[in-house]
């Protein structure tokens, strides 16, 4: 009976490993492997968090890049107007008409940078993400704080954009366009020409901001590629840790079955012998 129980357990254990597809069902099966597997699962959760962070930051930075591209074009349009109005006599009322166009450009800049994201945040405000970057007069009302987000093991990226980085330390983007607007409204050729330098500074400021955003997006892409490689390695190691060695278990199962059959056969033979002995004793009993 004990032999049959042991042989039957061997068969069941081997079959169970093959069916479960894992060599570690409980920590007691292999404490060292179980500990490593737990650590790998923690790493996997970390990578899931990193993936989510990258997606959120990338969405904000992609949106910021698009807005900055539009703002750069609006500043360029304003500069083109300033250049065309820089002559001494563009004609009666021409600068006044141009002033209306520039005024509309200023409003477009304010509307663009104040646009609220689907997440409810405002870009270009530092850490003051709950309010628009500019007020109705184009005055910056954010702060200079920044928020870093972990996007990979030991890798962080700045997820916010400060006003000084986007509009210039003295809000040159808006002030240069307003400078041009005032010159056109005053029909002042000299002041119109002088605004060209300020508008060039404004364009450069926006260009640098776009370059900064592009660098952050490139970093996110690089970290994503590296993270994918690391996740693949983690998956391989996890599989190796829990994988059942079929080449090893299958013969063990076959051997256990053979042993069980042998034990059962032996038991039958013993029982037959016992039965024959008992029968013989019964027949010769007086």
């Amino acid at each position: 009976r004990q032999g049959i129980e042991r042989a039957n357990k061997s068969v069941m254990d081997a079959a169970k490993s093959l069916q479960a597809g894992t060599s570690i069902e409980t920590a007691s099966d292999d404490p060292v492997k179980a500990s490593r597997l737990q650590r790998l699962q923690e790493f996997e959760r970390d990578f899931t968090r990193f993936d989510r962070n990258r997606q959120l930051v990338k969405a904000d930075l992609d949106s910021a890049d698009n807005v900055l591209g539009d703002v750069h074009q609006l500043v360029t349009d304003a500069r083109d107007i300033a250049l065309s109005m820089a002559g001494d006599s563009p004609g009666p009322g021409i600068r006044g008409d141009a002033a209306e166009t520039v005024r509309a450009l200023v409003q477009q800049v304010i509307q663009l940078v104040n646009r609220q994201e689907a997440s409810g945040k405002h870009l270009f405000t530092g850490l003051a993400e709950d309010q628009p970057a500019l007020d109705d007069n184009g005055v910056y009302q954010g702060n200079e704080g920044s928020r870093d987000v972990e996007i990979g093991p030991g890798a962080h990226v700045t997820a916010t954009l400060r006003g000084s980085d986007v509009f210039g330390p003295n809000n040159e983007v808006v002030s240069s366009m307003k400078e041009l607007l005032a010159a056109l409204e005053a029909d002042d050729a000299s002041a119109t020409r002088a605004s060209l330098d300020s508008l060039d500074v404004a364009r450069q400021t926006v260009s640098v901001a776009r370059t900064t955003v592009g660098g952050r997006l490139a970093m996110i892409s690089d970290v994503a590629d590296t993270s994918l490689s690391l996740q693949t390695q983690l998956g391989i190691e996890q599989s190796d840790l829990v994988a059942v060695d079929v080449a090893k278990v299958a013969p063990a199962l076959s051997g256990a079955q053979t042993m069980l059959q042998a034990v059962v056969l032996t038991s039958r033979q013993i029982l037959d012998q016992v039965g024959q002995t008992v029968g013989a004793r019964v027949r010769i009993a007086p």
Side-chain angles (χ1 to χ4, degrees):
R1 179 180 60 79
Q2 292 175 350
I4 289 176
E5 289 178 351
R6 286 194 298 269
N8 189 56
K9 184 177 185 303
S10 296
V11 172
M12 295 298 293
D13 288 345
K16 189 176 180 182
S17 292
L18 283 175
Q19 184 177 8
T22 176
S23 61
I24 306 174
E25 293 187 26
T26 64
S28 59
D29 293 340
D30 191 326
V32 175
K33 282 187 177 182
S35 177
R36 179 58 180 169
L37 183 60
Q38 182 180 8
R39 186 66 180 132
L40 291 176
Q41 291 170 342
E42 291 174 357
F43 285 146
E44 192 172 25
R45 287 191 291 271
D46 287 339
F47 277 109
T48 298
R49 175 170 56 86
F50 296 149
D51 288 342
R52 183 172 60 254
N53 289 347
R54 284 197 302 273
Q55 292 172 8
L56 292 174
V57 175
K58 184 178 184 300
D60 286 346
L61 292 178
D62 280 336
S63 181
D65 184 59
N66 291 331
V67 171
L68 290 173
D70 292 339
V71 170
H72 186 272
Q73 184 58 55
L74 291 173
V75 177
T76 299
D77 291 346
R79 186 187 182 282
D80 290 343
I81 291 174
L83 190 60
S84 65
M85 296 291 109
D88 290 330
S89 55
I94 299 299
R95 287 198 179 96
D97 292 339
E100 292 304 316
T101 301
V102 172
R103 181 177 289 105
L105 294 179
V106 172
Q107 290 304 311
Q108 289 181 57
V109 168
I110 294 174
Q111 291 172 3
L112 278 171
V113 301
N114 284 350
R115 188 178 66 192
Q116 189 174 29
E117 298 301 300
S119 61
K121 295 183 296 186
H122 289 86
L123 305 176
F124 317 117
T125 59
L127 291 177
E129 297 172 304
D130 59 341
Q131 63 182 8
L134 303 174
D135 65 15
D136 293 340
N137 295 316
V139 177
Y140 182 64
Q141 54 187 10
N143 60 43
E144 293 300 298
S146 60
R147 172 169 50 84
D148 289 344
V149 177
E150 189 175 16
I151 58 172
H156 295 75
V157 66
T158 302
T160 52
L161 290 159
R162 303 177 302 180
S164 59
D165 296 330
V166 176
F167 308 110
N170 297 306
N171 202 11
E172 283 84 358
V173 170
V174 176
S175 64
S176 63
M177 297 179 74
K178 285 192 170 185
E179 180 183 334
L180 171 62
L181 176 59
L184 294 173
E185 289 177 333
D187 197 17
D188 188 332
S190 178
T192 299
R193 287 192 293 272
S195 69
L196 287 169
D197 291 338
S198 299
L199 289 167
D200 283 336
V201 171
R203 283 201 308 169
Q204 182 65 24
T205 298
V206 178
S207 293
V208 171
R210 287 198 75 188
T211 300
T212 299
V213 171
R216 295 179 189 176
L217 286 170
M219 177 183 179
I220 290 174
S221 178
D222 290 343
V223 172
D225 291 342
T226 303
S227 293
L228 179 60
S229 176
L230 290 173
Q231 284 177 286
T232 301
Q233 294 177 28
L234 285 176
I236 293 173
E237 186 175 353
Q238 281 182 302
S239 298
D240 290 343
L241 282 173
V242 302
V244 176
D245 189 347
V246 177
K248 178 179 179 182
V249 176
L253 175 60
S254 177
Q257 290 173 328
T258 301
M259 183 178 67
L260 176 60
Q261 292 171 358
V263 171
V264 170
L265 178 61
T266 301
S267 298
R268 286 176 178 173
Q269 292 174 345
I270 292 173
L271 289 175
D272 288 343
Q273 292 175 0
V274 170
Q276 292 173 4
T277 301
V278 171
R281 288 179 179 177
V282 170
R283 286 193 297 274
I284 65 175

